[in-house]
Amino acid sequence: MITRIKDITDHLEQIAPLRYQESYDNAGLLTGNPNDEVRAVLISLDCTEEVVEDAIEKGCNLIVAHHPIIFKGLKSLTGKNYVERTIIKAIQNNIAIYASHTNLDSVVNGVNTKIADKLGLQEQRILVNKPQTLMQLVTFAPVENTEQVLAALHAAGAGNIGEYSNCSFQVQGKGRFLPSENANPTIGRSGQPEQVQENRIEVIFPAYLQGKIMAALKAAHPYEEVAHYLYNLENQNQEVGIGIMGELQEPLQEEAFLSYLKDKMDLQGLRYTSVGAKSIKRVAVCGGAGSFLIKDALRQGADALVTGDVKYHEFFDAEGRMMIADIGHYESEVFTKEIFYDTISKNFTNFAVYLTNVNTNPVRYTF
């Protein structure tokens, strides 16, 4: 059985839809033909020249990375910097590059869940949920056809709310219509008014599934013309958002928590604000640069925020009420590689999947 690059990227986008990436981001397939057959896959946090060399040595023609190598617009490809040299090397060796970045940051079981799991946090929940990622479909179907329409909508991904599936609302009423002479009505006759007992059906679904939902509706619905309304919702999506909040099994004092953090995240060192004698139990985490979540973490009663790339003045924002632990950008996200490796290895078994041998962290430490 042939697996194409598109099969891999489609699978990854079911986990982390591209629609969930931030406006400044550039996730997705960056180089390569989506219809090429996959020979082997290399997993990395970043894509650099050394990573492309590693892919060549291992016979991989697809690199899956967390950080997009193309982040800003490219006006030329002359090899004048590492970004251009990396792209040129990949194209010359027919290696595709795919990135799943802030979209993977924003989903349950993504980057931040991985950090929370590494720290053994319990009762996990998203720290800041995203609005405007849900839609509502309202449609109308004859009573006797309601279940087949609902079954198709649910199969396409509509009606999932947290731990509940197949959710919908129905109310019965009377539909009226007049088919034209050119119509081919399922019920009634052309040129004659008709009344039908119908159910009004309402379901909620993730906005990125709109095309799939509408195709399922039209395929399952008995009518030639399907009446429907689509609404964009302001509701927060409880399964999409930034950061994770959870609790340690037992509260830890400052020094014990720092030691625990260094051990679980394999740290050489970290920067932090002191909370003195206060114990730490409720912990917020955000991979990469998460200082923008300081106020949200404080507001929700976090004892510590674990993230990276915190600026000097931002440490003051903890105000002695919460530890800010800056463990480094690379260190906070390096385990993202395990997400890619585990899901690709589990779902595709006809080619090799490798973790890169290259340490892409540009930061070095001295003590």
Side-chain angles (χ1 to χ4, degrees):
M1 180 178 178
I2 293 177
T3 301
R4 304 195 183 279
I5 289 172
K6 187 178 187 299
D7 299 324
I8 305 295
T9 60
D10 285 349
H11 171 72
L12 293 175
E13 287 166 19
Q14 287 178 0
I15 298 169
L18 292 181
R19 184 177 178 124
Y20 293 159
Q21 69 178 307
E22 298 298 325
S23 59
Y24 58 79
D25 202 6
N26 191 38
L29 188 64
L30 304 179
T31 70
N33 185 339
N35 293 313
D36 282 354
E37 180 179 356
V38 176
R39 296 196 304 272
V41 178
L42 183 68
I43 308 297
S44 181
L45 181 66
D46 307 284
C47 188
T48 63
E49 294 171 83
E50 293 78 12
V51 170
V52 176
E53 287 286 355
D54 195 23
I56 294 169
E57 291 176 10
K58 290 180 167 65
C60 301
N61 67 330
L62 173 61
I63 296 171
V64 175
H66 182 46
H67 295 138
I69 181 63
I70 303 174
F71 205 76
K72 299 178 181 178
L74 294 176
K75 294 185 177 181
S76 65
L77 279 174
T78 61
K80 62 180 174 291
N81 55 46
Y82 85 95
V83 173
E84 292 185 11
R85 290 192 298 272
T86 300
I87 297 301
I88 290 171
K89 186 181 290 288
I91 292 173
Q92 287 176 336
N93 290 276
N94 197 29
I95 295 173
I97 301 173
Y98 181 85
S100 183
H101 191 211
T102 53
N103 48 321
L104 191 63
D105 292 334
S106 298
V107 293
V108 171
N109 297 322
V111 175
N112 296 307
T113 299
K114 175 61 72 172
I115 300 171
D117 288 345
K118 290 287 182 182
L119 295 179
L121 300 185
Q122 303 173 344
E123 300 181 24
Q124 296 178 19
R125 59 180 176 80
I126 289 176
L127 183 62
V128 179
N129 295 90
K130 276 193 173 185
Q132 299 178 334
T133 62
L134 295 172
M135 296 185 72
Q136 181 188 35
L137 168 67
V138 177
T139 190
F140 308 86
V143 172
E144 60 270 24
N145 299 109
T146 296
E147 289 306 316
Q148 75 183 46
V149 171
L150 275 174
L153 293 174
H154 294 324
N160 296 321
I161 303 176
E163 297 299 321
Y164 296 85
S165 60
N166 295 1
C167 301
S168 67
F169 177 78
Q170 302 173 40
V171 63
Q172 193 171 129
K174 186 177 293 184
R176 301 180 62 183
F177 51 86
L178 174 63
S180 74
E181 293 298 329
N182 296 322
N184 184 27
T186 304
I187 300 174
R189 300 173 62 181
S190 297
Q192 296 187 11
E194 185 62 63
Q195 296 186 107
V196 180
Q197 287 298 118
E198 295 179 333
N199 280 324
R200 175 188 171 107
I201 302 168
E202 300 182 18
V203 290
I204 290 176
F205 61 91
Y208 75 92
L209 288 177
Q210 179 179 344
K212 187 176 180 181
I213 296 296
M214 292 308 301
L217 172 64
K218 292 176 181 177
H221 204 288
Y223 285 173
E224 183 178 25
E225 302 288 352
V226 182
H228 67 278
Y229 306 108
L230 285 171
Y231 301 98
N232 291 308
L233 301 180
E234 290 295 324
N235 302 46
Q236 289 187 335
N237 190 333
Q238 59 190 341
E239 296 184 355
V240 180
I242 300 296
I244 290 286
M245 177 85 85
E247 296 191 359
L248 297 168
Q249 188 170 0
E250 299 291 338
L252 297 174
Q253 294 301 309
E254 184 173 287
E255 288 300 321
F257 176 72
L258 291 171
S259 177
Y260 180 81
L261 188 58
K262 290 172 69 175
D263 176 62
K264 294 298 182 180
M265 300 301 291
D266 192 24
L267 305 176
Q268 297 182 51
L270 71 156
R271 302 185 301 154
Y272 69 96
T273 58
S274 177
V275 289
K278 179 181 178 179
S279 63
I280 295 172
K281 183 171 176 62
R282 184 174 293 179
V283 179
V285 302
C286 180
S291 60
F292 65 97
L293 291 173
I294 291 173
K295 291 183 179 179
D296 294 289
L298 278 169
R299 191 179 301 115
Q300 297 185 41
D303 302 314
L305 170 64
V306 178
T307 188
D309 293 353
V310 180
K311 296 179 181 179
Y312 174 81
H313 290 284
E314 292 171 334
F315 281 104
F316 287 105
D317 293 338
E319 297 185 350
R321 295 160 47 201
M322 176 182 74
M323 175 186 287
I324 298 176
D326 183 342
I327 65 174
H329 196 121
Y330 176 90
E331 290 80 2
S332 70
E333 294 185 327
V334 65
F335 298 109
T336 301
K337 294 186 294 185
E338 296 176 7
I339 300 174
F340 297 135
Y341 182 87
D342 291 346
T343 190
I344 295 174
S345 298
K346 178 181 178 181
N347 290 279
F348 300 92
T349 58
N350 56 333
F351 53 81
V353 182
Y354 301 98
L355 291 171
T356 186
N357 297 325
V358 179
N359 180 347
T360 61
N361 191 357
V363 180
R364 297 292 182 264
Y365 300 92
T366 183
F367 298 95

